[in-house]
C-alpha cells in the first residue's frame, strides 16, 4: 500500500520538492548578504552611541518588498498542500471510479486511508516545516529590525514563522481530504478548502489568538519609541501626537490597542492626524520658538511637559516573550483539529462513502 | 456448499428513491450467474453491495457466508470488476500488476503475466491509453489474478464492440473452467449472457422477478398460443408471466412445473431472451386482475 501511495504521490512530491529547493536556493544565496549587512549596521550604530533605530528603519525599508514576499510564501505554502494534496486525494479516485478498483483489493479501506493520510500528511508537515525553517532563518535580521506592524508577533508574520506552519499544513491537508470526501468533486472541494482555510487564517488572529493568554494592559510615558508623529504647530496652537503601535521597552510586542489618555485616565478623541493635546502653546515649554524664552521650548521640552502633566499611552499588548508559547498553543490547537478531522474521515469512509 | 450470495429483504435507498428493495435471494456456488434487467433496475446496486462497496439500507447480505468487505480475508475471496472497468490512467500495465501483487496476499503473478502476454498488452503502456477492450481485459486480469472464489463483474462488456465483447467473455469462460470460480455477471443484454451463464436472475424495477438455473427456467416456461381466452380460466398451477390478446387469439407465457395437456394450445419453447423480456414487461404486481386492465 505504501508503494501504491508513493507511486501515485511521487509527482506531487517532486513538484513540492522542486518548489522548496528553489525557495531554499534563493534564500540561501541572499540570506548571508542580508545577515552581513545587518551585523555591520548594528556594529556601526552601537559604536556611534547605541541608537540603532535609524539603521533599523532604513534596513527594514530597503528590504521590505522581499520580506513581504518571503512571508507570503511562508503563509501560502501550507495552504497549497491542503489544496493540491488534500482535496484531490479522495475525489480523484471517486471521479475516475478507481476507488472501486482499489477498495476491492485484499486490504480494507480504513487501512488504505490510513497509509495515504500518514504518508502524505507527514510529507505535508515536513514540507511546511522545511519551508518555515528557511523562511525563519532568512528573515532573522529583518524580524529583529521590523517596523511596528511587521514584528514576529504581528498576525501577518506570526503564521509564517516557527512551528505553526506545520500545524497549518497538517490541518489544511486534512481539511482538503474531508471536504473532498463530503463534496466528491475535486474543483469544488479545492475552492471550499481554500475559502475555509483562508477564513480561518483571518478569523483566528482577529478573534482567537488575542485571547490565548490574558493580554497586558499598561500605561506608558510618551517617548520616541511610541510616538509616530509629534507636531508642534508654529502658529501657537496645541501640539498633536500620533502614536506608534509600539510599546517602550517591549520591542516586538503585539499591540492590540494603543491610545492616548488624559491625566485622569480617560481616552482622548483622535482623528487621522493624531490627538490634540490641550495644553497651552502660547507660553511655556510648548510655545513656538519665537515666543519661548531662550533655552526653553522645542520638541524635547514640550514632550517632557506633556508627560509631566500626566498624558500617557494606554496600551493592551502581548509581550514578545510569549511568541513561542503562542506558537505552541496554536500549533497544538490545529493539531487537535487535524486529529478530529482524521477521526471523522475514518468514520465517514466506513459508514457513508461508497 | 455455502451459497455464493445470500440476501434477505435487502434494500438500498438513495435519498428517497429505492434502488433495490425486498431482495431475497440465494444463489448456489459453482455457477456463472447472469444478472439481467433494464438500465436502472438495481443491478449495479446489488453487485456493489455484494462486493462491499455499498452498505445496505435495510436487510442483510452475505457473500460466501461472510459480510461483504468485512476484512482482508473476505476481500481476498471476492473479486470485483466495476462498471466501465476503471483503471488508473496514470499507471502503466506493469504498475497495475504490481499494485495487485502488493495488495493481495493470494496474488497469482504467473497468471497475471501470462494473461497480459496472451492479450498482447505492452506492460510499459499507460493504462489511460488502452482501448476500452484492453482496459476491460486489464481489469479482468486484476480480478482473476487475485484468485477469488467468486468474481463479480458489473456490465463488463457494456462499452465494448462485438468482437472485444466476445473475446472478453471467452477469456472469462476459460478462466472459470480453469480456476473453478463462481461468477456473478450483470448485463442489460441477454445475448451476452445466453452464451455464458447457467443461472439467471432477472431484476426489474428494483425487485427480483425470477431467479434460477437457466435450463430449469427454460423447461418450466412455455408459450401458449390458442383461441382467445380469459386469463382467469387458466389452470391454477400455471403462473402467467405475460399475456397478449388479439381479437380471436391469446398468447400467454406461463410458468408451470406440470405438463400442459390442454389440446387447445399450441405449446412452444422459449429462448432465454424471450423469457427475460417477458419478465421485464411484467408489471410490478404479477396478479391476474392487473392483466385484465391491461387489455
Amino acid at each position: 500500500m505504501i508503494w501504491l501511495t508513493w507511486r501515485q504521490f511521487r509527482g506531487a512530491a517532486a513538484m513540492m520538492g522542486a518548489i522548496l529547493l528553489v525557495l531554499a536556493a534563493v534564500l540561501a544565496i541572499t540570506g548571508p548578504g542580508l545577515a552581513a549587512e545587518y551585523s555591520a549596521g548594528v556594529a556601526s550604530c552601537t559604536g556611534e552611541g547605541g541608537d540603532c533605530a535609524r539603521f533599523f528603519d532604513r534596513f527594514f525599508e530597503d528590504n521590505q518588498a522581499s520580506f513581504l514576499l518571503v512571508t507570503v510564501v511562508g503563509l501560502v505554502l501550507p495552504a497549497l498542500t491542503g489544496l493540491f494534496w488534500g482535496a484531490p486525494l479522495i475525489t480523484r479516485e471517486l471521479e475516475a471510479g478507481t476507488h472501486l478498483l482499489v477498495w476491492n483489493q485484499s486490504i480494507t479501506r480504513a487501512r488504505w486511508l490510513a497509509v495515504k493520510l500518514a504518508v502524505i500528511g507527514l510529507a505535508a508537515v515536513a514540507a511546511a516545516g522545511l519551508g518555515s525553517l528557511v523562511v525563519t532563518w532568512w528573515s532573522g535580521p529583518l524580524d529583529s529590525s521590523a517596523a511596528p506592524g511587521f514584528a514576529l508577533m504581528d498576525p501577518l508574520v506570526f503564521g509564517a514563522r516557527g512551528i505553526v506552519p506545520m500545524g497549518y499544513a497538517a490541518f489544511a491537508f486534512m481539511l482538503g481530504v474531508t471536504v473532498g470526501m463530503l463534496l466528491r468533486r475535486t474543483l469544488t472541494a479545492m475552492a471550499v478548502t481554500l475559502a475555509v482555510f483562508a477564513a480561518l487564517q483571518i478569523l483566528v488572529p482577529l478573534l482567537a489568538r488575542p485571547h490565548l493568554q490574558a493580554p497586558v494592559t499598561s500605561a506608558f510615558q510618551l517617548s520616541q519609541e511610541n510616538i509616530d508623529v509629534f507636531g508642534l504647530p508654529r502658529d501657537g496652537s496645541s501640539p498633536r501626537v500620533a502614536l506608534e503601535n509600539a510599546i517602550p521597552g517591549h520591542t516586538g510586542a503585539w499591540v492590540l490597542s494603543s491610545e492616548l489618555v488624559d491625566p485622569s485616565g480617560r481616552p482622548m478623541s483622535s482623528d487621522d492626524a493624531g490627538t490634540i493635546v490641550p495644553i497651552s502653546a502660547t507660553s511655556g515649554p510648548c510655545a513656538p520658538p519665537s515666543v519661548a524664552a531662550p533655552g526653553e521650548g522645542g520638541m524635547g521640552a514640550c514632550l517632557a511637559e506633556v508627560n509631566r502633566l500626566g498624558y500617557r499611552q494606554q496600551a493592551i499588548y502581548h509581550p514578545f516573550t510569549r511568541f513561542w508559547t503562542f506558537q505552541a498553543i496554536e500549533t497544538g490547537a490545529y493539531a487537535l483539529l487535524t486529529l478530529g478531522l482524521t477521526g471523522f474521515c475514518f468514520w465517514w469512509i466506513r459508514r457513508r462513502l461508497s | 456448499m455455502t451459497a455464493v450470495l445470500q440476501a434477505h429483504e435487502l434494500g438500498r435507498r438513495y435519498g428517497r428513491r429505492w434502488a433495490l428493495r425486498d431482495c431475497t435471494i440465494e444463489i448456489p456456488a459453482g455457477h456463472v450467474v447472469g444478472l439481467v434487467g433494464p438500465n436502472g433496475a438495481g443491478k449495479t446496486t446489488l453487485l456493489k453491495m455484494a462486493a462491499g462497496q455499498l452498505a445496505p439500507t435495510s436487510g442483510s447480505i452475505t457473500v460466501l457466508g461472510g459480510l461483504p468487505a468485512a476484512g482482508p480475508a473476505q476481500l481476498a475471496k471476492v473479486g470485483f470488476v466495476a462498471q466501465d472497468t476503471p483503471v488508473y490512467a496514470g499507471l502503466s500495465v506493469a504498475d497495475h500488476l504490481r499494485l495487485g501483487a502488493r495488495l493481495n496476499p493470494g496474488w497469482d503473478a504467473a497468471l497475471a503475466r501470462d494473461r497480459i502476454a496472451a492479450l498482447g498488452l505492452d506492460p510499459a503502456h499507460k493504462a489511460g491509453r488502452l482501448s476500452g477492450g484492453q482496459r476491460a481485459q486489464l481489469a479482468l486480469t486484476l480480478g482473476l489474478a487475485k484468485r477469488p472464489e467468486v468474481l463479480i463483474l458489473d456490465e463488463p462488456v457494456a462499452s465494448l464492440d462485438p468482437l472485444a465483447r466476445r473475446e472478453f467473455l471467452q477469456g472469462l469462460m476459460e478462466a472459470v473452467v480453469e480456476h473453478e470460480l463462481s461468477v456473478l455477471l450483470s448485463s442489460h443484454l441477454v445475448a451476452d449472457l445466453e452464451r455464458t451463464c447457467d443461472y439467471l436472475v432477472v431484476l426489474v424495477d428494483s425487485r427480483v422477478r425470477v431467479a434460477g438455473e437457466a435450463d430449469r427456467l427454460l423447461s418450466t416456461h412455455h408459450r401458449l398460443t390458442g383461441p382467445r381466452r380469459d386469463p382467469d380460466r387458466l389452470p391454477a398451477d400455471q403462473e402467467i408471466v405475460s399475456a397478449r390478446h388479439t381479437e380471436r387469439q391469446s398468447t400467454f407465457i406461463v410458468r408451470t412445473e406440470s405438463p400442459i395437456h390442454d389440446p387447445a394450445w399450441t405449446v412452444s419453447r422459449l429462448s432465454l431472451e424471450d423469457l427475460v423480456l417477458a419478465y421485464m414487461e411484467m408489471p410490478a404486481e404479477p396478479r391476474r386482475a392487473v392483466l385484465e386492465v391491461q387489455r
Side-chain angles (χ1 to χ4, degrees):
Chain A
M1 189 55 226
I2 294 174
W3 173 80
L4 176 64
T5 305
W6 171 245
R7 179 64 189 78
Q8 290 183 284
F9 175 62
R10 66 184 189 188
M15 180 76 113
M16 178 56 92
I19 292 175
L20 281 178
L21 210 64
V22 169
L23 180 72
V26 170
L27 296 188
I29 291 166
T30 53
L34 204 64
E37 190 188 344
Y38 176 75
S39 45
V42 170
S44 83
C45 69
T46 39
E48 282 165 12
D51 183 14
C52 288
R54 287 180 60 185
F55 164 71
F56 285 161
D57 281 353
R58 189 182 53 75
F59 179 66
F60 184 75
E61 212 171 294
D62 286 350
N63 296 294
Q64 193 167 9
S66 40
F67 170 81
L68 285 179
L69 189 70
V70 169
T71 299
V72 166
V73 168
L75 282 176
V76 164
L77 216 56
L80 286 185
T81 63
L83 224 57
F84 292 102
W85 293 2
L89 190 73
I90 309 285
T91 54
R92 208 174 36 204
E93 304 265 354
L94 293 177
E95 282 173 354
T98 43
H99 63 294
L100 296 173
L101 175 73
V102 75
W103 289 354
N104 198 253
Q105 307 304 313
S106 310
I107 96 170
T108 58
R109 316 177 183 188
R111 176 130 171 263
W112 175 82
L113 184 67
V115 173
K116 291 223 150 205
L117 294 187
V119 170
I120 303 178
L122 288 179
V125 170
L130 282 174
S132 172
L133 192 69
V134 287
V135 165
T136 306
W137 168 76
W138 183 88
S139 324
L142 289 165
D143 286 335
S144 19
S145 64
F150 296 102
L152 273 178
M153 289 283 278
D154 282 296
L156 180 71
V157 184
F158 182 86
R161 302 282 190 279
I163 56 172
V164 76
M166 294 195 279
Y168 294 158
F171 172 75
F173 171 69
M174 277 316 297
L175 181 71
V177 172
T178 311
V179 170
M181 258 192 202
L182 294 177
L183 298 180
R184 299 158 155 263
R185 292 275 173 278
T186 304
L187 277 179
T188 17
M190 284 170 88
V192 171
T193 304
L194 183 63
V196 172
F197 186 71
L200 267 179
Q201 289 291 52
I202 293 168
L203 291 179
V204 166
L206 277 180
L207 302 178
R209 198 182 297 153
H211 306 296
L212 289 183
Q213 282 188 346
V216 179
T217 306
S218 193
F220 296 94
Q221 289 212 348
L222 300 177
S223 65
Q224 224 175 22
E225 278 183 84
N226 57 5
I227 288 177
D228 186 22
V229 182
F230 187 78
L232 196 53
R234 292 190 174 277
D235 61 2
S237 53
S238 297
R240 266 174 182 278
V241 174
L243 288 175
E244 181 90 278
N245 262 342
I247 310 294
H250 288 280
T251 317
W254 180 22
V255 183
L256 303 176
S257 95
S258 158
E259 58 189 355
L260 205 63
V261 293
D262 66 16
S264 60
R266 274 194 303 270
M268 299 164 68
S269 64
S270 62
D271 56 28
D272 290 345
T275 310
I276 296 168
V277 183
I279 55 175
S280 164
T282 47
S283 65
C286 291
S290 51
V291 184
E296 267 192 350
M299 294 284 194
C302 181
L303 189 57
E305 176 70 2
V306 170
N307 275 327
R308 192 189 64 78
L309 287 171
Y311 293 94
R312 291 287 182 273
Q313 174 202 28
Q314 173 91 17
I316 304 176
Y317 66 99
H318 289 290
F320 176 69
T321 46
R322 292 180 179 176
F323 178 75
W324 285 107
T325 314
F326 274 32
Q327 285 259 332
I329 294 175
E330 194 160 322
T331 309
Y334 272 96
L336 280 181
L337 280 176
T338 307
L339 284 180
L341 288 177
T342 310
F344 174 81
C345 281
F346 277 103
W347 178 80
W348 189 261
I349 204 170
R350 259 188 232 155
R351 294 292 141 117
R352 307 299 304 271
L353 193 72
S354 37
Chain B
M1 204 169 188
T2 46
V4 65
L5 186 149
Q6 199 165 19
H8 183 69
E9 289 177 5
L10 182 69
R12 169 74 198 197
R13 198 177 53 199
Y14 293 104
R16 303 180 67 182
R17 197 181 69 82
W18 286 89
L20 189 76
R21 66 195 307 177
D22 298 338
C23 174
T24 300
I25 193 171
E26 184 170 343
I27 301 175
H31 286 288
V32 177
V33 181
L35 183 60
V36 63
N39 292 324
K43 301 189 295 289
T44 297
T45 306
L46 177 58
L47 292 184
K48 273 188 174 172
M49 283 197 280
Q53 298 283 352
L54 207 60
T57 312
S58 64
S60 64
I61 180 169
T62 57
V63 173
L64 299 166
L67 279 176
Q74 176 73 17
L75 283 164
K77 283 197 284 185
V78 181
F80 179 57
V81 177
Q83 200 162 4
D84 300 327
T85 56
V87 290
Y88 287 103
L91 301 194
S92 69
V93 172
D95 282 335
H96 276 87
L97 298 192
R98 204 154 166 212
L99 178 161
R102 297 262 172 169
L103 300 186
N104 297 288
W107 183 255
D108 188 338
L111 183 154
R113 223 178 21 244
D114 295 348
R115 251 191 80 86
I116 292 299
L119 291 164
L121 292 182
D122 176 5
H125 218 78
K126 284 262 187 282
R129 298 215 198 96
L130 296 176
S131 73
Q134 292 172 322
R135 220 180 51 209
Q137 291 284 16
L138 176 59
L140 177 63
T141 305
L142 277 177
L144 286 173
K146 93 185 238 197
R147 298 303 296 271
E149 289 176 35
V150 55
L151 182 61
I152 300 174
L153 302 110
D154 188 7
E155 302 263 6
V157 292
S159 56
L160 305 186
D161 61 63
L163 187 64
R165 189 175 286 210
R166 201 172 67 193
E167 278 172 358
F168 183 92
L169 291 175
Q170 233 159 35
L172 176 65
M173 293 328 289
E174 282 163 14
V176 167
V177 172
E178 197 175 337
H179 305 301
E180 294 177 339
L181 34 74
S182 304
V183 173
L184 246 98
L185 172 71
S186 79
S187 178
H188 58 273
L189 293 177
V190 192
D192 289 338
L193 305 179
E194 208 156 15
R195 282 197 295 270
T196 47
C197 299
D198 55 7
Y199 196 100
L200 214 64
V201 178
V202 179
L203 200 64
V204 182
D205 279 345
S206 70
R207 286 167 197 274
V208 175
R209 281 296 155 79
V210 66
E213 286 179 37
D215 292 345
R216 176 134 190 82
L217 287 179
L218 289 177
S219 67
T220 54
H221 285 77
H222 310 275
R223 180 187 281 121
L224 311 179
T225 317
R228 184 175 174 129
R229 192 188 294 194
D230 194 86
D232 282 337
R233 292 177 50 223
L234 286 178
D237 63 350
Q238 294 181 2
E239 189 189 330
I240 298 175
V241 179
S242 83
R244 274 214 184 92
H245 305 279
T246 60
E247 201 90 342
R248 283 181 293 158
Q249 206 181 40
S250 287
T251 305
F252 292 102
I253 291 177
V254 297
R255 176 183 193 171
T256 178
E257 299 285 326
S258 41
I260 293 162
H261 296 301
D262 195 329
W265 294 121
T266 311
V267 182
S268 54
R269 272 183 67 99
L270 294 166
S271 70
L272 209 54
E273 183 147 16
D274 293 335
L275 190 146
V276 168
L277 286 175
Y279 273 99
M280 283 195 195
E281 285 169 1
M282 189 168 82
E285 291 302 321
R287 293 274 52 98
R288 296 175 175 210
V290 183
L291 290 172
E292 294 277 317
V293 180
Q294 246 195 355
R295 231 188 292 178

